[in-house]
Amino acid sequence: MSLDLESRPRRGRPPARDEILRAGLLGGLAADDLAERFGTPLYVYDLDVIARQVLALEAVLPPEAELAYAVKANPALAVVAHLGRLGLGADVASGGELATARRAGIEPGRIVMTGPGKRDDELRAAVEAGVRAITVESPGELGRVEALALAAGRAQPVMLRAAVSEHARLERVRLVGDDGAGKFGMDPADLAACAWRAVSSPHLQLLGLHAFGASNVLDAGAIVGHVAATVRAARRLALAAGTTLRLVDAGGGLGIPYEGHEGSLDLVRLGAGLSAITADWALDPVLRDARLLLEPGRFLVGAAGAYLSRVVDRKTVGGSIVVILDGGVHHVLRPALVGQEHRIRAFTSRARARDPGDAATRGGGRMVPVTVAGPLCSGLDVFSHAAVMAPPGVGDLVAVLDVGAYGFTESMPMFLSHPGPAEVAIRAGRPALIRPRLDPVEWLDRQVAPDW
């Protein structure tokens, strides 16, 4: 990979908000050009932003640390392949994500499989592929992995996942109704029993411990504290089981700012904290050969994405301006799911900009609160109730920002049978269609009405 000198980040200090939107362009291209070529609604990802995020993070990490991209953040094949070419491994949470990582060219030895409720066919695929590690969530799952490894005639590397207590959670914004409910990881007693079993089995190889305690955290000190606690817990577990550590997986959780008042994650502080944690590993017989694995997703791809849609209607209701887009929360569910609005940017269409009689374009328009909503028959389908902007008119384009992570992958595209958005990647100012628009007729053709 090559970046021009001006775009290379200083050590640990990328621009305060390195994102797809720069100088009124998306990935260096006009919104009108993207919409005319690929249609709307549309997801756009700037791969150069992703590369800069990777470089900035790698610049501060200690030599003991490695990165595995959390595929769940954005499983678009082109995005995963791009990160693989940048040297990252993959953190997969399903058989489908494993297949994606493999097709993207990521070698099995750089893939870890995590997540609760893994089916036998998914575990079998991971064992047969020879993944770096399977993170085990329960004693029962460990038994199933052992049986599959026996059948495959190999010793499967595993990590054991520790349950993270409620007081240790770091999330700023959590999914509606989600407190974990005990679905992630094991209590200390089960961890100890599983560690003994793994060490004693000829078909298992215990690498270490996994603990994920946070999502979208901007406090570098909190992340460092979580990593330090995970290392201490992993060391205690290894000593009790009479083994050494090969891998300590602290998960992801590196956040991005969604709101204008939020600052970016302090990478310099993060790197200094992680370096302090690993400084004495070479002198510790338990940690001497260990690697620290981080699994960022949102931090790498979140700000690289925008959701571009077109205004199809505009009206005034109760004195407030309302604009209706041709895309909504069926494609970008996160604002409704977590109750946090994303930043929104409007682009005046060329046709309206050339019209001297259009009052909304003369002088750029007055900045006022605007309700920005989608086309769904649902009150949840609102991106913002008071986005301050020059009110866009019919035909103008609107971009929802910071949707490169948990955007399309977390959506509900079949709701109300609207077309699914196309996905486009941009690299060095060159756009490419990476997933075509999905027409409702395509999934209608896969259905059958039985002739009872």
Side-chain angles (χ1 to χ4, degrees):
M1 178 198 59
S2 64
L3 292 175
D4 58 82
L5 292 178
E6 289 74 16
S7 67
R8 288 183 181 275
R10 291 174 292 155
R11 180 175 172 82
R13 296 185 184 275
R17 197 187 287 272
D18 191 358
E19 61 179 344
I20 187 172
L21 178 64
R22 299 183 302 279
L25 303 174
L26 296 175
L29 301 176
D32 258 324
D33 291 338
L34 289 167
E36 289 172 9
R37 179 170 175 180
F38 300 105
T40 59
L42 172 72
Y43 268 97
V44 188
Y45 310 119
D46 187 339
L47 300 187
D48 294 329
V49 171
I50 296 173
R52 289 194 294 270
Q53 290 294 94
V54 170
L55 285 171
L57 182 55
E58 288 183 335
V60 303
L61 293 179
E64 296 82 4
E66 299 178 14
L67 299 177
Y69 170 60
V71 175
K72 62 179 173 287
N74 186 331
L77 183 62
V79 171
V80 180
H82 182 61
L83 285 157
R85 288 191 296 269
L86 294 174
L88 274 69
D91 160 39
V92 303
S94 69
E97 288 189 352
L98 174 59
T100 298
R102 292 296 293 117
R103 187 172 294 190
I106 299 177
E107 293 299 320
R110 295 194 290 145
I111 298 174
V112 294
M113 174 174 272
T114 62
K118 306 178 195 71
R119 301 188 309 271
D120 282 353
D121 62 296
E122 294 175 310
L123 291 172
R124 184 178 298 108
V127 170
E128 292 178 353
V131 299
R132 181 182 191 180
I134 296 174
T135 297
V136 173
E137 298 271 350
S138 71
E141 187 170 87
L142 184 67
R144 290 191 290 133
V145 172
E146 185 178 26
L148 290 166
L150 170 62
R154 61 167 300 170
Q156 174 60 47
V158 297
M159 289 184 289
L160 304 180
R161 184 168 185 173
V164 178
S165 62
E166 179 65 27
H167 73 273
R169 298 184 192 277
L170 308 175
E171 276 104 329
R172 297 181 296 125
V173 178
R174 195 173 303 168
L175 293 182
V176 175
D178 173 38
D179 61 1
K183 67 182 291 184
F184 301 112
M186 294 178 267
D187 285 335
D190 280 342
L191 281 175
C194 285
W196 274 107
R197 179 173 181 175
V199 168
S200 304
S201 173
H203 306 294
L204 298 171
Q205 179 187 6
L206 179 61
L207 299 186
L209 187 72
H210 171 102
F212 177 79
S215 178
N216 196 33
V217 178
L218 293 176
D219 182 350
I223 296 174
V224 170
H226 165 70
V227 174
T230 302
V231 172
R232 290 193 297 268
R235 191 177 186 279
R236 288 194 301 268
L237 185 67
L239 284 171
T243 188
T244 59
L245 291 169
R246 295 293 186 272
L247 199 59
V248 178
D249 187 344
L254 283 66
I256 63 170
Y258 283 96
E259 300 177 28
H261 67 274
E262 294 179 318
S264 299
L265 177 66
D266 186 339
L267 292 186
V268 172
R269 184 182 178 196
L270 176 67
L274 296 180
S275 295
I277 290 171
T278 61
D280 296 329
W281 282 16
L283 305 177
D284 188 328
V286 177
L287 288 162
R288 181 182 300 134
D289 299 318
R291 306 292 292 171
L292 173 63
L293 186 65
L294 301 177
E295 299 167 348
R298 186 192 319 263
F299 176 83
L300 300 180
V301 302
Y307 175 71
L308 189 64
S309 56
R310 194 177 292 279
V311 177
V312 295
D313 197 10
R314 172 175 156 177
K315 56 187 174 180
T316 300
V317 179
S320 297
I321 296 175
V322 179
V323 296
I324 307 296
L325 311 179
D326 62 0
V329 298
H330 54 323
H331 298 159
V332 189
L333 185 59
R334 186 180 182 276
L337 191 62
V338 305
Q340 184 179 51
E341 293 183 358
H342 285 233
R343 294 176 301 131
I344 297 173
R345 170 67 186 268
F347 303 88
T348 302
S349 68
R350 291 193 183 112
R352 292 186 64 237
R354 288 193 298 263
D355 183 0
D358 194 324
T361 61
R362 288 201 301 270
R366 188 166 54 92
M367 304 291 282
V368 297
V370 177
T371 296
V372 182
L376 306 182
C377 296
S378 169
L380 292 175
D381 188 24
V382 178
F383 286 125
S384 178
H385 290 279
V388 178
M389 61 173 62
V394 173
D396 286 346
L397 296 165
V398 172
V400 181
L401 302 174
D402 302 316
V403 295
Y406 306 105
F408 190 26
T409 185
E410 198 176 51
S411 66
M412 44 183 191
M414 293 186 179
F415 186 53
L416 286 184
S417 297
H418 285 273
E423 290 181 288
V424 168
I426 300 173
R427 187 176 183 186
R430 296 173 56 194
L433 182 67
I434 62 172
R435 179 161 22 201
R437 190 172 311 284
L438 181 64
D439 191 278
V441 173
E442 295 180 55
W443 68 76
L444 187 62
D445 288 343
R446 295 175 64 87
Q447 300 180 55
V448 175
D451 185 5
W452 300 112

